[in-house]
Amino acid sequence: MSFRLFVYYCAVVGAWSGLVGWALGRLAPAIPPGNQDYWPVVFPTTLIALLLGFSIALGLSFLDAVFNYSLRRFGMVFLCVSAAMVVGVCGGLCGGFTGGTAYHFLHWNSVFLVSWTIVGMLVGMSISFFQVVSGLISRKDLGSAIKKFVKCLIGGTIGGILGGAIALGLRFLGEMALPGRDLRTPTAVGFVAIGACIGLLVGLAQIILKEAWIRVEAGFRPGREMLLQKDKTSIGRAEGSDIALFGDSGVEKAHANIVKDGGRYYLEDLQAPGGTYINDQKVEGRAPLKAGDLIRLGKSVLRFNERTKRKE
């Protein structure tokens, strides 16, 4: 999947997840008109935000896990999505409770912008929550996981603010056009806007702030682009490879690694019989990579890129 498609799918999946969250939220009890009691106001808003956080975290984490790991690594996808759903539910609880409490005391619809900001922030955090926990436990790739965590947090927060503002604007226009009527439709569109904005900004934050990436020029699924988010990225024909090159008999199950060391990236050959090449020069052991380098393994060709070119 190219980066452009990834961002597009993030927005689409976020929008559909927002719609699902709205549909599930209709199961929540309605707020009685004019009711001044605390729980009849706070409980429905908390439940609705919980369901929204759950659905968006589920959709976006699944897309992100498939983009980074593929469905062949089902166990990793399952762990990432499960952890994200837990954080998404917590985000909905915190956001809904905060917004509902503020609305109870202030009676301003605008306070719900705080709810959607919190939901967006925690949904963004949920995307890489498992990687951060795994890094803390294993002491591997922690720095890369934290960088992704920050990117997704920034994207989710901005998406929550933007989507929440759109949702409030739609509700305001609906109340002006149909005073005293049930505003299910503008609310549904508003939730779609919240989901789409969170998804779009989470995807954009990862792509715009990327440091290094690989593009498949020839081989399995050409045009595919992958972020390099680990200190050691494996390349091979095995299903557990970070960059999997299936169907190429010239590629070993564990063929090579891209290693980040001291802020630089290196290609590390794993003594594969067919060899590993950078710009048609055979790699012996480890060789430095620079932006634009072509990596050849068997019949597969990968292009390495990084944001800033380094001087030799």
Side-chain angles (χ1 to χ4, degrees):
M1 185 188 305
S2 68
F3 291 151
R4 183 178 298 178
L5 275 178
F6 174 66
V7 173
Y8 169 76
Y9 284 136
C10 280
V12 171
V13 169
W16 275 104
S17 299
L19 184 61
V20 170
W22 167 81
L24 293 174
R26 295 196 66 173
L27 302 174
I31 300 175
N35 195 307
Q36 301 297 317
D37 294 333
Y38 182 74
W39 283 113
V41 173
V42 175
F43 177 72
T45 57
T46 302
L47 181 58
I48 291 170
L50 181 155
L51 293 169
L52 180 66
F54 166 80
S55 61
I56 297 177
L58 170 61
L60 293 182
S61 63
F62 179 77
L63 176 63
D64 184 83
V66 170
F67 176 71
N68 287 290
Y69 300 110
S70 87
L71 281 174
R72 293 173 183 263
R73 300 181 65 180
F74 175 78
M76 183 63 72
V77 172
F78 175 78
L79 290 172
C80 290
V81 172
S82 299
M85 287 192 297
V86 172
V87 179
V89 166
C90 292
L93 279 171
C94 294
F97 181 79
T98 302
T101 299
Y103 180 78
H104 169 72
F105 290 108
L106 301 175
H107 302 290
W108 298 341
N109 281 326
S110 58
V111 299
F112 285 111
L113 183 60
V114 177
S115 295
W116 309 136
T117 301
I118 294 173
V119 171
M121 179 178 67
L122 288 176
V123 165
M125 292 167 57
S126 74
I127 303 300
S128 59
F129 181 73
F130 175 77
Q131 289 95 323
V132 172
V133 173
S134 178
L136 287 170
I137 294 173
S138 66
R139 304 292 180 88
K140 295 180 180 179
D141 302 316
L142 180 59
S144 299
I146 290 176
K147 287 180 180 179
K148 180 179 178 180
F149 182 85
V150 172
K151 294 172 189 175
C152 292
L153 184 151
I154 292 171
T157 302
I158 297 174
I161 294 171
L162 180 59
I166 293 173
L168 287 172
L170 290 171
R171 188 173 184 86
F172 176 74
L173 293 174
E175 288 175 347
M176 288 183 62
L178 299 170
R181 301 288 293 275
D182 183 11
L183 300 177
R184 294 287 186 181
T185 300
T187 303
V189 176
F191 274 32
V192 168
I194 292 170
C197 288
I198 292 174
L200 175 65
L201 269 297
V202 166
L204 276 176
Q206 292 188 70
I207 302 307
I208 291 174
L209 301 176
K210 63 184 181 295
E211 294 181 1
W213 65 99
I214 286 289
R215 177 183 172 86
V216 179
E217 301 291 348
F220 178 67
R221 289 167 54 192
R224 196 169 34 130
E225 293 177 297
M226 291 150 287
L227 298 171
L228 297 177
Q229 303 184 99
K230 299 171 64 177
D231 293 336
K232 180 181 286 187
T233 302
S234 59
I235 308 173
R237 199 159 35 87
E239 291 190 358
S241 299
D242 297 313
I243 301 176
L245 300 172
F246 304 120
D248 190 337
S249 59
V251 176
E252 301 300 311
K253 289 186 176 180
H255 196 109
N257 293 323
I258 295 177
V259 180
K260 185 178 182 181
D261 186 6
R264 290 213 58 174
Y265 288 89
Y266 298 86
L267 182 64
E268 183 179 73
D269 178 59
L270 299 180
Q271 299 182 342
T276 306
Y277 298 82
I278 298 177
N279 301 326
D280 291 327
Q281 299 295 316
K282 189 172 183 180
V283 174
E284 300 290 348
R286 177 188 282 195
L289 285 165
K290 62 180 184 297
D293 279 348
L294 289 176
I295 302 169
R296 180 164 61 83
L297 315 84
K299 297 179 181 178
S300 301
V301 179
L302 313 175
R303 185 180 297 277
F304 171 81
N305 282 292
E306 60 181 331
R307 178 158 299 280
T308 56
K309 292 184 178 181
R310 302 177 185 278
K311 296 181 180 180
E312 296 294 334

